[in-house]
Amino acid sequence: MRNHPLKPFPKDFLWGASTSAYQVEGAWNEDGKGPSVMDVAEHPKEVTDFKVASDHYHRYKEDIALFAELGLKAYRFSISWSRIFPEGTGEVNQKGIDFYNNLINELKKHHIEPVVTMYHFDLPYALQKKGGWLNRETIDAYENYAKTLFENFGDRVKYWLTINEQNVMILFGELLGTVDRNAENPKKELYQQNHHMFVAQAKAMILCHRMLPDAKIGPAPNISAVYPISPQPEDVLAAHTFSSLRNWLYLDAAVFGRYNSTVWSYLEKKQAIPEIQDGDMAILKEAKPDFIAFNYYSTMTVGANLPQKVSNNKREDQQMAFEEPGFFKGHPNPNLPKTEYGWEIDPVGLRTTLREIYERYHLPLLITENGLGAQDRLEEGDVVNDDYRIDYLQKHIEQCRLALDDGVELIGYCPWSAIDLVSTHQGISKRYGFIYVNRDEFDLKDLRRIPKKSFYWYKKVIASNGEDLANE
Ligand code: BG6
């Protein structure tokens, strides 16, 4: 039995919500924007592309007015690199700068703190054509892009996120199309890309601190606790290996400026050690994040895996399904319910994850994504009864509070997503937002905005600073 009242959420807690540029903006080729890898990616024919998305580019004022009505204290969005630099580098597109200036000013007008992701999966296609992250020149392009962002928006943006889910881009590079499946050793290419991203991220953190002494910057991977499928020692070991590869590699590099030893040995076995140039590790060491942002959807359950043929797990089967003969294999967790898209729901796992990250790095934590994708139904009278989403978020917020009580320094919670947007792989029908966007996969209808039941619920949560989580 608890014998003391739970610690409250801090007074300045960043109650927020998230989106990303290619998923929400649309206007994919307007006002000088260059194509990104997401614009040219192949789509399964049953889902829409990102060309119009939620048309936020043209409706940002209306959207931000709704975010203000919701009571958001923070809005986490990403800047489209190819809107600023259509070619990835070189000439700046002034109209791109203007758009984000307007967006940031509009947020400020409503007292909403902008939390900016500098790069969220949408590498400029012009850079991809030159080798993307495999090419070291992309590091310079990213640093130059970072400098441009700091120069133009640094007077108003205090929170910066370097790279969204670098770990997902590497772990699922073959699915996300960032690596050629037919390469001689795709893993070697992926971990070379990964190393270049580490250096780029470190350079951006160093630059941010030099240019903007009051700003805060951090990485934004997808982190989750990893459970062993059984107490059998081999399963526990496999879970540990997987967690190093999925989680700690990324945060050890960002925070301590070093490679995780378990991962290094794995890379040796896979002949996938990246080429590290003189000075790279010194740059990683010099860079220090001010906080850790992370996305959390669920945990992973893993067991030992004997050498055998790999089955082709898809991300949608289980958000982080993964297997590696001789190392580990993902399993469903029989204790957890699933969303209609098969993603396991594990609120307690969020508390475990928060504790694990905090104990390891002792930095303030910001949750930048957490949410439930579902096929919401617009009912008569413009009503969306998304009680399942309320239930999901309520249980996760409860665990945030318990983690705060455990001593974790949690500074904010930004669920995915502020408004309906196009899912990375499964179209617009897989909705996450507090605000419904009236369109279907291929019928744009009127794109009108309709607050869902979860909107009114979250508004009450924010107004009560997390004290009132009831759904009535
Ligand atoms: C995260 C990404 O991986 O998960 C988002 O940062 C993404 O871009 C979100 O949309 C949900 O995944 P999905 O595949 O359901 O869109």
Side-chain angles (χ1 to χ4, degrees):
M1 265 261 290
R2 177 172 298 282
N3 56 10
H4 70 279
L6 281 176
K7 282 184 200 154
F9 283 96
K11 273 208 305 294
D12 51 357
F13 193 73
L14 294 171
W15 292 104
S18 288
T19 61
S20 93
Y22 71 90
Q23 295 177 271
V24 76
E25 285 177 5
W28 74 287
N29 61 356
E30 282 182 44
D31 289 342
K33 178 180 171 297
S36 79
V37 292
M38 301 313 288
D39 297 320
V40 301
E42 271 181 39
H43 289 266
K45 63 177 181 332
E46 63 282 6
V47 299
T48 184
D49 55 29
F50 302 110
K51 294 193 162 77
V52 177
S54 307
D55 198 33
H56 177 69
Y57 187 78
H58 298 114
R59 297 167 193 244
Y60 70 92
K61 282 198 180 169
E62 179 190 352
D63 292 343
I64 293 173
L66 281 168
F67 299 166
E69 190 189 326
L70 176 56
L72 290 190
K73 309 277 186 221
Y75 173 48
R76 181 257 187 168
F77 63 97
S78 79
I79 291 185
S80 155
W81 185 343
S82 62
R83 215 180 265 297
I84 304 292
F85 285 104
E87 295 293 314
T89 184
E91 194 105 341
V92 173
N93 175 31
Q94 188 54 43
K95 289 201 168 151
I97 300 277
D98 294 346
F99 171 67
Y100 292 108
N101 263 330
N102 293 338
L103 183 87
I104 292 165
N105 290 342
E106 197 66 19
L107 290 169
K108 288 286 196 190
K109 191 172 102 190
H110 290 285
H111 310 289
I112 300 174
E113 187 74 52
V115 177
V116 173
T117 316
M118 296 156 65
Y119 161 48
H120 190 124
F121 296 167
D122 52 355
L123 189 72
Y125 185 54
L127 294 180
Q128 187 61 38
K129 281 195 287 192
K130 290 192 267 174
W133 283 105
L134 207 49
N135 183 347
R136 262 191 93 94
E137 283 174 19
T138 301
I139 302 176
D140 303 329
Y142 180 82
E143 191 183 15
N144 179 54
Y145 166 59
K147 181 164 165 274
T148 306
L149 299 189
F150 300 151
E151 273 165 2
N152 283 281
F153 312 123
D155 56 334
R156 285 150 295 152
V157 175
K158 193 166 135 204
Y159 293 94
W160 297 93
L161 313 173
T162 54
I163 300 178
N164 178 69
E165 295 195 350
Q166 181 178 330
N167 58 337
V168 170
M169 286 192 275
I170 299 305
L171 290 165
F172 295 92
E174 290 167 58
L175 283 179
L176 288 173
T178 46
V179 75
D180 179 2
R181 280 170 194 270
N182 303 317
E184 203 184 314
N185 182 356
K187 221 169 245 357
K188 178 147 175 76
E189 289 199 0
L190 279 167
Y191 283 91
Q192 189 64 54
Q193 293 186 18
N194 187 49
H195 179 70
H196 292 159
M197 284 191 225
F198 281 155
V199 178
Q201 164 171 271
K203 286 189 161 193
M205 293 198 286
I206 294 168
L207 194 64
C208 180
H209 290 137
R210 270 192 212 139
M211 292 177 64
L212 309 170
D214 296 330
K216 294 179 188 305
I217 188 162
N222 179 312
I223 302 293
S224 73
V226 178
Y227 304 143
I229 184 75
S230 85
Q232 197 173 315
E234 288 76 6
D235 288 334
V236 176
L237 187 72
H240 179 269
T241 307
F242 185 72
S243 192
S244 299
L245 201 65
R246 187 202 184 290
N247 297 316
W248 312 133
L249 165 66
Y250 300 90
L251 290 177
D252 287 358
V255 180
F256 302 136
R258 64 173 180 242
Y259 269 88
N260 177 284
S261 52
T262 306
V263 176
W264 193 258
S265 132
Y266 162 89
L267 293 178
E268 279 174 339
K269 291 180 189 105
K270 295 280 172 183
Q271 295 175 323
I273 294 284
E275 188 191 316
I276 298 181
Q277 291 197 359
D278 283 354
D280 284 358
M281 294 314 292
I283 292 169
L284 259 63
K285 270 255 174 306
E286 187 187 338
K288 297 274 174 252
D290 302 290
F291 64 95
I292 292 172
F294 73 103
N295 301 343
Y296 174 89
Y297 287 89
S298 188
T299 44
M300 269 295 289
T301 302
V302 156
N305 193 7
L306 297 173
Q308 62 184 44
K309 204 170 166 300
V310 185
S311 69
N312 208 357
N313 273 327
K314 293 209 190 76
R315 188 166 185 232
E316 51 268 32
D317 295 339
Q318 155 58 268
Q319 61 273 35
M320 291 288 136
F322 204 68
E323 72 172 289
E324 188 86 54
F327 290 93
F328 39 73
K329 177 172 164 43
H331 292 267
N333 185 332
N335 303 297
L336 299 176
K338 289 183 177 172
T339 71
E340 64 181 281
Y341 282 89
W343 291 28
E344 288 172 350
I345 302 177
D346 187 3
V348 175
L350 175 58
R351 182 178 178 188
T352 310
T353 304
L354 282 159
R355 282 190 191 182
E356 283 188 0
I357 307 174
Y358 191 67
E359 283 189 355
R360 210 173 156 105
Y361 303 106
H362 287 279
L363 283 171
L365 305 183
L366 174 65
I367 297 171
T368 38
E369 286 183 33
N370 173 235
L372 174 121
Q375 305 218 354
D376 297 336
R377 211 161 50 84
L378 183 61
E379 295 173 29
E380 246 189 68
D382 271 359
V383 172
V384 179
N385 284 310
D386 56 343
D387 292 275
Y388 37 86
R389 181 165 296 109
I390 296 175
D391 188 56
Y392 178 100
L393 296 171
Q394 182 189 55
K395 290 190 168 121
H396 284 80
I397 296 174
E398 267 166 21
Q399 295 299 319
C400 289
R401 177 117 185 230
L402 290 167
L404 275 166
D405 204 59
D406 294 335
V408 172
E409 193 184 344
L410 179 64
I411 59 171
Y413 176 72
C414 300
W416 187 261
S417 51
I419 183 167
D420 283 348
L421 38 69
V422 181
S423 144
T424 300
H425 303 98
Q426 291 166 292
I428 186 91
S429 312
K430 186 183 191 186
R431 296 173 186 269
Y432 285 88
F434 291 111
I435 300 164
Y436 188 89
V437 173
N438 192 36
R439 62 161 288 186
D440 291 340
E441 289 303 332
F442 301 105
D443 179 356
L444 292 176
K445 298 187 173 171
D446 58 7
L447 288 157
R448 121 176 149 272
R449 283 34 184 160
I450 302 156
K452 301 180 191 174
K453 189 172 179 189
S454 58
F455 178 99
Y456 299 105
W457 170 81
Y458 194 43
K459 181 175 176 169
K460 194 180 62 162
V461 172
I462 299 175
S464 66
N465 198 28
E467 290 295 326
D468 184 359
L469 301 184
N471 176 20
E472 62 229 356

